[in-house]
Amino acid sequence: MIIYTGGRTDIVHFYSDWLIKRFKEGYVLVRNPLFPGKVTRYELAPDKVDAVVLTSRNFAPILDRLSVIADHYSMYYHYIITAYGKEMEPGVPSIQESIRTLIELEQLVGSKRIAWRYDPVFLTDVYTEEKHLKTFERIAKQLTGHVDRCILGYLDKYDKVKKRMPELRALNGENQSRFLCELGRIAADYKIPIQACAARGDYSRYGITPAGCLTLDMIGEANGLMFKNLKHKGNRPGCQNIESRDIGAYHTCLNGCKYCADQQNPKKVQENCELHDPESPLLVGYLRPGDTVQQGIQKSFRQ
């Protein structure tokens, strides 16, 4: 079983105390987002977890305690660094601060375990193709030799987000081809393999590999592990990821990203944050009367 953080919220950035506590106590409870009365328990003992994948826009809060997890589990890290400023990502550190933290992380865990996510990509009158390419090259120049790969991703739920962000512009046609070609060239110049997450087309002619951003091959190569040859089903169209268990909760992220389709209710986010207790096995609140707790299925993918 793969334990994943970062899909529903930024646990590493805002809830690292809770995360460390969960691994020390050896289990976690996760409330079903669709059926809130159903709670799943996952054992976090090293013999029950094939790997732990941490995804965040800021690893600084956990660096000095990362060994609590990393010394006992096979690990992989997704570090998200984009071109956007505070008007888009108010809770995210600056690009330069993020680069410094990523390099600190690399010194602890090695470059083979780190993927730089340039995700999501979208266009506005401010964040044009030229702006993206200039910033992408600025980041790539500093991350060369410090990361395993770059994972490129487009804005998810575009139509839904556009209702809140009418300034969004589509990237398609000849502009898209030129843009992707330049991204592939820059990545190659700085010797950073680049791949597309949930690709909507074949970008291999631009030097951009269509591949999952969380695969057994990635985790295995980074940690010297052998996994079974299993189908990677993914969780949305075009996704080639291996099955994982996200231990986060929606509407708890304080990054406040304007483009995030799952964080449209700041009041709900604040309410959930007030219910958070680092001592609770649940990220938000506690078990309630009437909750049903079931043991999660934890099949190993290892050979």
Side-chain angles (χ1 to χ4, degrees):
M1 181 190 73
I2 309 295
I3 290 291
Y4 181 67
T5 75
R8 297 174 180 173
T9 190
D10 197 331
I11 292 177
V12 170
H13 188 174
F14 300 109
Y15 306 105
S16 57
D17 290 345
W18 176 83
L19 184 66
I20 294 294
K21 182 77 171 179
R22 289 299 90 228
F23 277 94
K24 283 183 175 180
E25 293 198 351
Y27 77 101
V28 64
L29 299 183
V30 182
R31 192 175 294 281
N32 189 310
L34 298 178
F35 304 97
K38 295 183 177 180
V39 176
T40 303
R41 174 180 170 126
Y42 297 112
E43 307 303 324
L44 299 181
D47 63 337
K48 297 291 186 180
V49 176
D50 291 326
V52 178
V53 180
L54 302 182
T55 299
S56 180
R57 286 174 166 81
N58 182 13
F59 276 83
I62 204 172
L63 287 182
D64 62 346
R65 299 168 293 168
L66 187 58
S67 61
V68 172
I69 305 173
D71 285 355
H72 305 285
Y73 301 83
S74 297
M75 305 290 295
Y76 202 84
Y77 307 84
H78 286 178
Y79 207 127
I80 305 171
I81 307 178
T82 66
Y84 310 114
K86 292 292 185 180
E87 82 285 1
M88 287 290 175
E89 299 175 341
V92 178
S94 69
I95 292 174
Q96 211 54 44
E97 186 178 350
S98 297
I99 291 172
R100 286 195 298 269
T101 302
L102 185 149
I103 292 174
E104 288 183 48
L105 174 66
E106 185 260 336
Q107 291 170 348
L108 292 174
V109 306
S111 62
K112 285 297 182 182
R113 290 189 175 93
I114 304 175
W116 160 38
R117 294 191 68 119
Y118 193 78
D119 179 13
V121 173
F122 60 83
L123 301 179
T124 69
D125 289 340
V126 174
Y127 296 100
T128 60
E129 292 96 328
E130 289 72 21
K131 172 74 170 179
H132 274 290
L133 293 172
K134 183 178 179 180
T135 308
F136 184 84
E137 182 160 19
R138 170 190 164 193
I139 299 171
K141 183 177 181 180
Q142 297 181 74
L143 293 187
T144 183
H146 297 291
V147 295
D148 178 49
R149 68 191 70 201
C150 174
I151 298 172
L152 177 70
Y154 282 115
L155 182 65
D156 194 20
K157 303 178 182 177
Y158 182 91
D159 293 336
K160 183 178 180 181
V161 176
K162 189 170 176 59
K163 294 179 181 179
R164 294 186 290 115
M165 294 179 60
E167 67 268 33
L168 285 177
R169 294 196 288 109
L171 179 65
N172 49 39
E174 184 177 338
N175 287 344
Q176 183 186 44
S177 295
R178 187 183 70 84
F179 178 68
L180 293 174
C181 184
E182 284 298 296
L183 284 178
R185 178 193 63 78
I186 293 168
D189 284 349
Y190 293 101
K191 297 179 173 57
I192 299 177
I194 184 171
Q195 63 186 65
C197 176
R200 302 172 185 177
D202 183 3
Y203 304 152
S204 56
R205 62 188 180 278
Y206 308 117
I208 301 174
T209 305
C213 57
L214 178 58
T215 69
L216 293 179
D217 284 345
M218 288 170 60
I219 298 170
E221 290 172 8
N223 293 278
L225 299 177
M226 294 294 292
F227 288 104
K228 300 172 184 176
N229 184 17
L230 299 175
K231 184 178 180 180
H232 290 48
K233 299 178 181 179
N235 51 23
R236 55 177 168 154
C239 180
Q240 302 177 46
N241 289 349
I242 191 63
E243 179 183 355
S244 62
R245 295 291 180 262
D246 194 324
I247 61 174
Y250 290 116
H251 305 294
T252 57
C253 185
L254 294 168
N255 282 321
C257 299
K258 185 177 180 180
Y259 51 78
C260 181
D262 296 315
Q263 306 292 344
Q264 297 184 55
N265 190 336
K267 182 179 178 181
K268 182 67 172 176
V269 172
Q270 188 59 41
E271 289 174 353
N272 284 338
C273 290
E274 290 174 359
L275 291 171
H276 171 71
D277 180 353
E279 301 296 321
S280 173
L282 285 159
L283 184 63
V284 177
Y286 308 89
L287 287 174
R288 302 187 293 241
D291 281 345
T292 301
V293 180
Q294 62 180 10
Q295 185 67 42
I297 298 173
Q298 299 188 224
K299 294 181 179 179
S300 176
F301 300 146
R302 297 194 189 190
Q303 282 190 355

